[in-house]
Amino acid sequence: MATYLVGDIQGCLDDLLSLLDQAQFHPNHDELWLAGDLVARGPQSLETLRFVKSLGKSAITVLGNHDLHLLAVAEGIARCKAKDKTQAILDADDSQELLEWLRQQPLLAEHPKYSFVVAHAGIPAQWDLTQAHQQARHVESILQSKRYLWLLQNMYGDGPELWSDSLNELEQLRFTINAFTRMRFCYPDGRLDMACKLSPGEAGIGELVPWFQLPRDKPLGKKIIFGHWAALMGHEDEQVIGLDTGCVWGNSMTLLRWDDGQRFVKECPLYA
């Protein structure tokens, strides 16, 4: 059995299938871990949801910000973004089945054997792995409960910027969603910046630092696999592996085989 990991698909299913073919992936004996944002700006968001769902236990995906936004759009809570190509999901005969499946997916997934965890954007430096799991489970339990609509109605907003145990429930939930699905840069004191989407080193970032460069209060003991940050064009160090290499923006999609570290790369057309 081989374990594969991939960054944001964003509806670019043909590119994913090409990579899986390159790697000779087979769901009967391999597993595929996806770093969220299955849908949005590529041409096959509906087909991507159907495909990943069809893999059953062979696929493990986490929720990304575009996935959560789709759930809110489907409930009439938010409007579809101008560049999103997700209307086909809402119009499909199996729409409710797909959306129900999507909202059952986690914010954080930990491999039971290998030393990695997957979160769409990352894990804030203030949290150890135990707290990260606790906060993820809190959000997930509400998404899967009768309070689902309340959370979708109240999840939007850039604050609070900094985690504190004294935050009220909604503030904790919003910080958790922002950290797991939207985080890129932080200030040196750990405050989240929700505005800057540049790459590290570009002019204009000021004192901002990538979230994964902040010193952790406690080591996680596992490598964090994340997507979300296309401007990084992939990143790896001792603590993290970033796998979003900007497929939907005309760059490439990258599939990593954990077992031997081999990467499979597919050059992509410009979709967005």
Side-chain angles (χ1 to χ4, degrees), residues 20-246:
L20 295 178
D21 185 58
Q22 282 184 50
Q24 298 183 319
F25 168 86
H26 198 291
N28 286 353
H29 50 74
D30 298 326
E31 56 185 21
L32 177 65
W33 291 64
L34 303 101
D37 276 3
L38 300 182
V39 305
R41 298 181 178 177
Q44 297 170 294
S45 288
L46 170 60
E47 293 81 2
T48 299
L49 285 184
R50 286 173 173 166
F51 173 71
V52 177
K53 180 177 178 291
S54 76
L55 294 177
K57 294 182 179 179
S58 296
I60 299 90
T61 187
V62 296
L63 290 167
N65 53 304
H66 285 292
D67 305 318
L68 287 171
H69 185 67
L70 171 64
L71 293 175
V73 170
E75 297 293 345
I77 292 167
R79 293 184 178 183
C80 187
K81 296 179 180 178
K83 293 185 178 181
D84 286 353
K85 301 179 178 72
T86 54
Q87 187 61 42
I89 298 170
L90 307 180
D91 295 339
D93 291 341
D94 55 348
S95 177
Q96 286 305 115
E97 180 183 343
L98 292 169
L99 294 169
E100 180 67 19
W101 170 82
L102 186 63
R103 77 178 177 103
Q104 303 301 316
Q105 304 313 307
L107 280 179
L108 176 68
E110 180 177 1
H111 197 282
K113 177 181 177 182
Y114 298 126
S115 188
F116 70 78
V117 295
V118 181
H120 177 61
I123 300 176
Q126 291 172 280
W127 293 351
D128 61 16
L129 193 53
T130 297
Q131 186 169 15
H133 275 298
Q134 289 173 345
Q135 297 310 130
R137 299 296 91 85
H138 188 191
V139 172
E140 293 157 12
S141 68
I142 296 177
L143 280 176
Q144 298 164 21
S145 76
K146 294 179 180 179
R147 301 175 70 199
Y148 161 56
L149 295 180
W150 170 82
L151 180 57
L152 292 183
Q153 288 165 350
N154 290 282
M155 71 177 177
Y156 291 97
D158 292 345
E161 299 175 328
L162 189 65
W163 173 262
S164 168
D165 292 335
S166 65
L167 296 175
N168 65 37
E169 183 188 29
L170 179 56
E171 290 170 334
Q172 290 192 8
L173 291 166
R174 189 182 292 135
F175 179 91
T176 298
I177 289 170
N178 284 342
F180 277 127
T181 71
R182 298 179 60 207
M183 177 173 63
R184 292 185 180 92
F185 284 106
C186 295
Y187 291 94
D189 63 1
R191 287 179 293 126
L192 304 183
D193 172 82
M194 293 287 99
C196 187
K197 298 181 180 181
L198 302 174
S199 61
E202 283 191 64
I205 66 170
E207 63 179 327
L208 297 174
V209 293
W211 65 267
F212 49 81
Q213 290 182 0
L214 289 178
R216 302 202 71 87
D217 290 352
K218 294 181 182 178
L220 285 186
K222 302 217 169 183
K223 188 158 282 194
I224 303 170
I225 311 297
F226 70 101
H228 183 58
W229 200 345
L232 286 179
M233 286 301 295
H235 172 86
E236 182 170 2
D237 60 34
E238 292 182 357
Q239 298 187 76
V240 303
I241 300 177
L243 284 176
D244 184 1
T245 47

Side-chain angles (χ1 to χ4, degrees), residues 9-12 40-43 66 82-85 230 246-251 268-272:
I9 307 304
Q10 286 224 28
C12 303
R41 298 181 178 177
H66 285 292
K83 293 185 178 181
D84 286 353
K85 301 179 178 72
C247 174
V248 77
W249 306 110
N251 294 312
C268 304
L270 177 63
Y271 294 112

